[in-house]
Amino acid sequence: MVLKLYNTLGREKQEFVPIKGKTVKMYTCGPTVYWYQHIGNLRSYIFSDILRRVLEYNKFKVKQVMNVTDVGHLTSDADEGEDKMEKAAEKEGKKAKDIANYYLDVFKQDFKKLNISEPDIWCKATKHIKEQIELVKTLEEKGYTYQTSDGIYFDTSKLRDYGKLALLNTALLQAGKRVSMGEKKNKTDFALWKFSEQPGVRQQEWKSPWGIGFPGWHIECSAMSSKYLGKQFDIHTGGEDHIAVHHTNEIAQSEAAFGKMPWVKYWLHGAFLTFDGEKMSKSSGKIATIAELESQGFRPLHYRYFILTGHYKKQMSFTNENLENAKNSYQRLKNIIKELKDDKKENKEYLKKFENAINNDLNMPEALQVLWEMIRDTKAKGKIKTIKKMDEVFGLDLLKQEKLDIPEEVKELAEKRQLARKNKNWEESDKLRDEIKELGYQVNDTPGGWKITKL
Ligand code: AMP
Ligand code: ZN
C-alpha cells in the first residue's frame, strides 16, 4: 500500500519512500521547557504521534528523536531578546536546570495522558554543548561564519538556495530591511553562538573557542539530529511557525556542514490551534493547558478526539463548545462500542477504507468517519477486531473499559434508593435518582441489581 505525505519541501503530496529499507529516521522539534506546553503545542505532538503510528501501521520501523530546548531560545526567534530559560529562572527564583526538569516532567505526563508515544530518544540542548561547538567549528572551517561583537553568525548569502523550504525571496527580504540588523551582514543571518554579555551573570554559559557564551537555538537541532540519526535522514516535523526561520536555518547550516542534499527528505508541518481567531500562544495570553481542561471536567482523550476531527494541515479553532461536542461524540462512541459482541475476524472492507484515509496524508477526519460508518452499519461483521486495529492509529483507548471511581456519596444514595424501591416507596426512589443525577451519575436497574454510570 502506498503512503502519501505532504512534503513542505516541494509543496506537494509525495509517495513516502525511506532513504534505506523499512527504517524511518524521524526528528521532531520538541518543547522549550521554560513553562507549561499549552494545548496548541500539544496539537503538534498529537500530529507527530499520528504520523509515527501511521508509519508503524505500514510496517515501517521508526526511530524518533525529540530535542528539549533548555538553553538558547530567545524571546524573539530572530536572535534578539532574553533567553527564555534564564528569564523564567530569574522570575521563579530557581535554577534553570530545575525549571527545565519540572516542565519536561509535566510535558511527559501530558504525553501519557494523551496517549502520545514517547520518542526513542529525548535529548537536551545543554547535554550536547560539545557537539554544537564542533558543528560551529566545521561551519567556520568551511567559511560560512563571521564574528560580530555579540556572537558567531551564519552568513546566509553564502548559500544559493537559502530559504528554499519556506520559498523565501531573500532578495526581497534584503530590500525591505526594516528589522534592526545590528552588525549582521544580511537580514536572514542567524546566531550560531552568542557571547555572554557579562560572563558570570548567566546561569547557563560555557567556554568555546570564540569566548564564553551559549549556543544559538537552531544549531542544537542540527547537532543532535546528526548525532542520533546521521547526516541525512527521512522525516523532520514541527509546527508551521518553524518553516520560515527555525527549519530554514536548520537546513542552511546542516547542508553547509554535511554536504548532503537534501539533508532531510520529507518535511511535515502541523497547523496551528487558534483561539479567538489568533494562534494560541503564551504571548497572547489566550491559552489552555491539559490540567485546566481536566479541571473543567474534560478528559485528555476528549481533546485528542477533538484534534483528530481536523486535518493536521488545517488550522483548528479551539472553543469550549467544540471540545464539548468532541466529548459527547467520544462518549457516544465508547458507549456503542461497549455493547458490541466479538465476532472474531476483522472487517476487510472497512479496514481498507480506513487505510486509504490514513495513507492519504494522514486524513484522520475521514478515518473517523469510516469508523462511525462501520459502527452504524448493522450488517457489518468483525467490528471489535477492526476497531482494535484502527485504534493502533487513533490511540483513543476505544476498547478500554473505564474504571469509574464512584464517590461514596453517590454509592450511599444508590443504596438508599435500592432500599426505597424494595419498600415500593417510588416517590422516595425517584427523588434519590434525581439527587444522584445532580452529582453527575445515573443508576440503571439491571436484572442483576443496579449499575452506576457517569452521565
Ligand atoms: P515551542 O515550545 O515554542 O518551541 O513550541 C513547541 C511546538 O509547538 C513547536 O513545534 C511549535 O511549532 C508548536 N506550536 C506552537 N504554538 C502552536 C499552536 N498554537 N498550534 C499548534 N502548534 C503550535
Ligand atoms: Zn528544531
Coordinates of all heavy atoms in Angstrom, one line a residue, residues 355-382:
E355 N -7.6 2.5 5.8 CA -6.2 2.6 5.4 C -6.1 3.6 4.2 O -5.1 4.3 4.2 CB -5.7 1.2 4.9 CG -5.5 0.3 6.1 CD -5.4 -1.2 5.8 OE1 -5.4 -1.6 4.6 OE2 -5.3 -2.0 6.7
N356 N -7.0 3.6 3.4 CA -7.0 4.6 2.3 C -7.0 6.0 2.9 O -6.3 6.9 2.4 CB -8.2 4.5 1.4 CG -8.0 3.3 0.4 OD1 -6.9 2.8 0.2 ND2 -9.1 2.9 -0.1
A357 N -7.7 6.2 4.0 CA -7.8 7.6 4.6 C -6.5 7.9 5.3 O -5.9 9.0 5.0 CB -9.0 7.6 5.6
I358 N -6.0 7.0 6.1 CA -4.8 7.4 6.8 C -3.6 7.5 5.9 O -2.7 8.3 6.2 CB -4.5 6.4 8.0 CG1 -4.3 5.0 7.5 CG2 -5.5 6.4 9.1 CD1 -3.7 4.0 8.6
N359 N -3.5 6.7 4.9 CA -2.4 6.8 3.9 C -2.5 7.9 3.0 O -1.6 8.1 2.2 CB -2.2 5.4 3.2 CG -1.5 4.4 4.1 OD1 -1.1 4.7 5.2 ND2 -1.4 3.2 3.6
N360 N -3.6 8.6 3.0 CA -3.7 9.8 2.1 C -3.4 11.0 3.0 O -4.3 11.7 3.5 CB -5.2 9.8 1.6 CG -5.4 11.1 0.7 OD1 -4.4 11.7 0.3 ND2 -6.6 11.4 0.5
D361 N -2.1 11.1 3.3 CA -1.6 12.3 4.0 C -2.3 12.4 5.4 O -2.8 13.5 5.8 CB -1.8 13.6 3.2 CG -0.9 14.7 3.8 OD1 0.1 14.4 4.5 OD2 -1.3 15.9 3.7
L362 N -2.5 11.3 6.1 CA -3.0 11.2 7.4 C -4.4 11.9 7.6 O -4.5 12.8 8.4 CB -2.0 11.9 8.4 CG -0.5 11.7 8.2 CD1 0.2 12.5 9.3 CD2 -0.1 10.2 8.3
N363 N -5.3 11.4 6.7 CA -6.6 12.1 6.8 C -7.4 11.4 7.9 O -8.3 10.6 7.8 CB -7.3 11.9 5.5 CG -8.6 12.8 5.4 OD1 -9.1 13.1 6.4 ND2 -9.0 13.1 4.2
M364 N -7.2 12.0 9.1 CA -7.9 11.4 10.3 C -9.4 11.7 10.4 O -10.1 10.9 10.8 CB -7.2 11.9 11.6 CG -5.7 11.4 11.7 SD -5.4 9.7 11.2 CE -6.2 8.9 12.6
P365 N -9.8 12.9 9.9 CA -11.3 13.1 10.0 C -12.0 12.1 9.1 O -13.0 11.5 9.5 CB -11.5 14.5 9.4 CG -10.1 15.2 9.4 CD -9.1 14.1 9.5
E366 N -11.4 11.7 8.0 CA -12.1 10.7 7.1 C -12.0 9.3 7.8 O -12.9 8.5 7.8 CB -11.4 10.7 5.8 CG -12.2 9.9 4.7 CD -11.5 9.9 3.4 OE1 -11.2 11.0 2.9 OE2 -11.3 8.8 2.8
A367 N -10.9 9.0 8.5 CA -10.7 7.8 9.2 C -11.8 7.6 10.3 O -12.3 6.6 10.5 CB -9.3 7.7 9.7
L368 N -12.0 8.7 10.9 CA -13.1 8.7 12.0 C -14.5 8.5 11.4 O -15.3 7.7 11.9 CB -13.1 10.0 12.8 CG -12.1 10.2 13.9 CD1 -12.3 11.6 14.6 CD2 -12.3 9.1 15.0
Q369 N -14.7 9.1 10.2 CA -16.0 8.9 9.5 C -16.2 7.4 9.2 O -17.2 6.8 9.3 CB -16.0 9.7 8.2 CG -16.6 11.0 8.4 CD -16.5 11.9 7.2 OE1 -16.4 11.3 6.1 NE2 -16.4 13.2 7.3
V370 N -15.1 6.8 8.7 CA -15.1 5.3 8.4 C -15.5 4.5 9.6 O -16.4 3.6 9.6 CB -13.8 4.8 7.8 CG1 -13.8 3.3 7.5 CG2 -13.5 5.6 6.5
L371 N -14.9 4.9 10.7 CA -15.2 4.2 12.0 C -16.7 4.3 12.3 O -17.4 3.3 12.6 CB -14.3 4.7 13.1 CG -14.7 4.3 14.5 CD1 -14.5 2.8 14.7 CD2 -13.9 5.1 15.6
W372 N -17.2 5.5 12.3 CA -18.6 5.8 12.6 C -19.5 5.0 11.6 O -20.6 4.5 12.0 CB -19.0 7.3 12.5 CG -18.6 8.0 13.8 CD1 -17.6 8.8 14.1 CD2 -19.4 7.9 15.1 NE1 -17.6 9.2 15.4 CE2 -18.7 8.7 16.0 CE3 -20.5 7.2 15.5 CZ2 -19.2 8.9 17.3 CZ3 -21.0 7.4 16.8 CH2 -20.3 8.2 17.7
E373 N -19.1 5.0 10.3 CA -19.9 4.4 9.3 C -20.0 2.9 9.6 O -21.1 2.3 9.6 CB -19.2 4.6 8.0 CG -20.1 4.5 6.7 CD -19.2 4.5 5.5 OE1 -18.4 5.4 5.4 OE2 -19.4 3.6 4.6
M374 N -18.9 2.3 10.0 CA -18.9 0.9 10.3 C -19.8 0.6 11.5 O -20.6 -0.4 11.6 CB -17.5 0.4 10.6 CG -17.5 -1.1 10.9 SD -15.8 -1.7 11.3 CE -15.5 -1.1 12.9
I375 N -19.7 1.4 12.5 CA -20.4 1.2 13.8 C -21.9 1.3 13.5 O -22.7 0.5 14.1 CB -19.9 2.2 14.8 CG1 -18.6 1.7 15.4 CG2 -20.9 2.5 15.9 CD1 -18.0 2.6 16.4
R376 N -22.3 2.2 12.6 CA -23.7 2.3 12.4 C -24.3 1.3 11.4 O -25.5 1.2 11.2 CB -24.0 3.7 11.8 CG -23.8 4.8 12.8 CD -24.2 6.1 12.3 NE -24.1 7.1 13.3 CZ -23.5 8.3 13.2 NH1 -22.9 8.5 12.0 NH2 -23.4 9.2 14.2
D377 N -23.4 0.6 10.7 CA -23.8 -0.4 9.8 C -24.2 -1.7 10.5 O -23.3 -2.5 11.0 CB -22.6 -0.7 8.8 CG -22.9 -1.7 7.8 OD1 -23.9 -2.4 7.9 OD2 -22.1 -1.9 6.8
T378 N -25.5 -1.9 10.6 CA -26.0 -3.1 11.4 C -25.5 -4.4 10.8 O -25.5 -5.4 11.5 CB -27.5 -3.0 11.5 OG1 -28.0 -2.8 10.2 CG2 -28.0 -1.9 12.4
K379 N -25.2 -4.4 9.5 CA -24.9 -5.7 8.9 C -23.4 -6.0 9.0 O -22.9 -7.1 8.7 CB -25.3 -5.7 7.4 CG -26.8 -5.7 7.2 CD -27.2 -6.2 5.8 CE -28.6 -5.9 5.5 NZ -28.8 -4.5 5.1
A380 N -22.6 -5.0 9.3 CA -21.1 -5.2 9.3 C -20.7 -6.2 10.4 O -21.2 -6.2 11.5 CB -20.4 -3.9 9.5
K381 N -19.8 -7.1 10.0 CA -19.2 -8.1 10.9 C -17.8 -7.7 11.3 O -17.1 -6.9 10.7 CB -19.2 -9.4 10.2 CG -20.5 -10.0 9.9 CD -20.6 -11.4 10.4 CE -21.9 -12.1 10.3 NZ -23.1 -11.4 9.9
G382 N -17.3 -8.3 12.4 CA -15.9 -8.1 12.8 C -15.6 -6.8 13.4 O -14.5 -6.3 13.3

